Each structure stands twice: as C-alpha cells, then as structure tokens.
Amino acid sequence: MDICNMMAKVKSHPDCANVGMVLYHNGVVRSTSRDGRKVTGLRVSVDHGRLGEILREQKKRPGIVEILVEINEGKDLTVGDDVMLLVVAGDFRENVIATLTDTLNAIKSTVTRKVEYFTGE
C-alpha cells in the first residue's frame, strides 16, 4: 500500500487537467472497537467482484476523474497498520467529497469483512 504511488497514478491520468481536488482516506487499525473493547489487531477479507461494481458505478458520477483503492487483506494487522487507502479525484469539492463518502460507505458495508482480535482472546 503506497499513497504516493496512488497520487502518481492520479497525476498521470489522461484527464488529470480536469482535477481540482483529490481526497484521501487512510483507514488504520485502532486500539479499541466501536463498543470500547481493547483490540490487538484485525484481519480483512474483500469481495473483489462487488468492489469492482462499486468503483465502476462511482466513476460514472459527475466530475469524477479517478477512484483508486487498496485494501490490506488476508493478513493479520496490528494497531496502527493501514487497512485501506481510498483516493477520489475530481473537478469540484462537492462532487469529490460526496463520492468519497458514498464509495467509502459502500466498501465498508458491502465489500469488506473484518475479524477483530481482542485483548485476552
């Protein structure tokens, strides 16, 4: 996972001249779960077919030039490790912010599954 490489891909996109905003999401393993339990790590699995569908749909939105995603899947991750990088590049902030939000929510709810490891388990 390399955010600099992802930025280079955006900059080399044939329609890069139309980009006025690039937003990045960098999800990391935090030390507590949503319910407050201490987390020692997690493992993520990905539905690649569904991910492809979401990216194709979201790239059709007005003003969107590129969407890139990398998910750190299939290995045990520890607190502080990167889980997901998501990049959305487009013309205006209202298009880019909405697309990043919707893409991230769709990925989190329909593409990725995580198993959290807790202290003492």
Side-chain angles (χ1 to χ4, degrees), residues 72-91:
N72 205 351
E73 67 175 307
K75 60 178 112 172
D76 291 334
L77 304 174
T78 59
V79 173
D81 286 345
D82 292 329
V83 178
M84 177 170 49
L85 298 175
L86 172 62
V87 178
V88 178
D91 56 1

Side-chain angles (χ1 to χ4, degrees), residues 70-121:
E70 294 183 14
I71 302 171
N72 205 351
E73 67 175 307
K75 60 178 112 172
D76 291 334
L77 304 174
T78 59
V79 173
D81 286 345
D82 292 329
V83 178
M84 177 170 49
L85 298 175
L86 172 62
V87 178
V88 178
D91 56 1
F92 302 111
R93 75 176 173 270
E94 53 273 12
N95 292 332
V96 177
I97 291 169
T99 301
L100 182 131
T101 299
D102 293 347
T103 303
L104 178 60
N105 288 337
I107 290 171
K108 295 281 288 176
S109 65
T110 67
V111 170
T112 59
R113 296 288 174 256
K114 69 180 177 183
V115 175
E116 292 177 306
Y117 304 114
F118 298 100
T119 303
E121 291 184 5

Side-chain angles (χ1 to χ4, degrees), residues 16-97:
C16 185
N18 297 324
V19 172
M21 179 181 218
V22 181
L23 283 181
Y24 298 88
H25 163 80
N26 184 5
V28 299
V29 180
R30 66 178 177 272
S31 65
T32 56
S33 65
R34 286 188 173 268
D35 64 10
R37 292 184 290 166
K38 290 283 188 186
V39 172
T40 59
L42 60 84
R43 179 179 282 258
V44 177
S45 60
V46 175
D47 179 340
H48 290 278
R50 180 68 183 127
L51 178 60
E53 291 171 9
I54 289 168
L55 295 178
R56 283 188 295 279
E57 289 170 17
Q58 295 298 319
K59 285 180 180 181
K60 293 177 185 175
R61 292 176 68 154
I64 299 304
V65 172
E66 184 64 285
I67 302 173
L68 302 171
V69 64
E70 294 183 14
I71 302 171
N72 205 351
E73 67 175 307
K75 60 178 112 172
D76 291 334
L77 304 174
T78 59
V79 173
D81 286 345
D82 292 329
V83 178
M84 177 170 49
L85 298 175
L86 172 62
V87 178
V88 178
D91 56 1
F92 302 111
R93 75 176 173 270
E94 53 273 12
N95 292 332
V96 177
I97 291 169

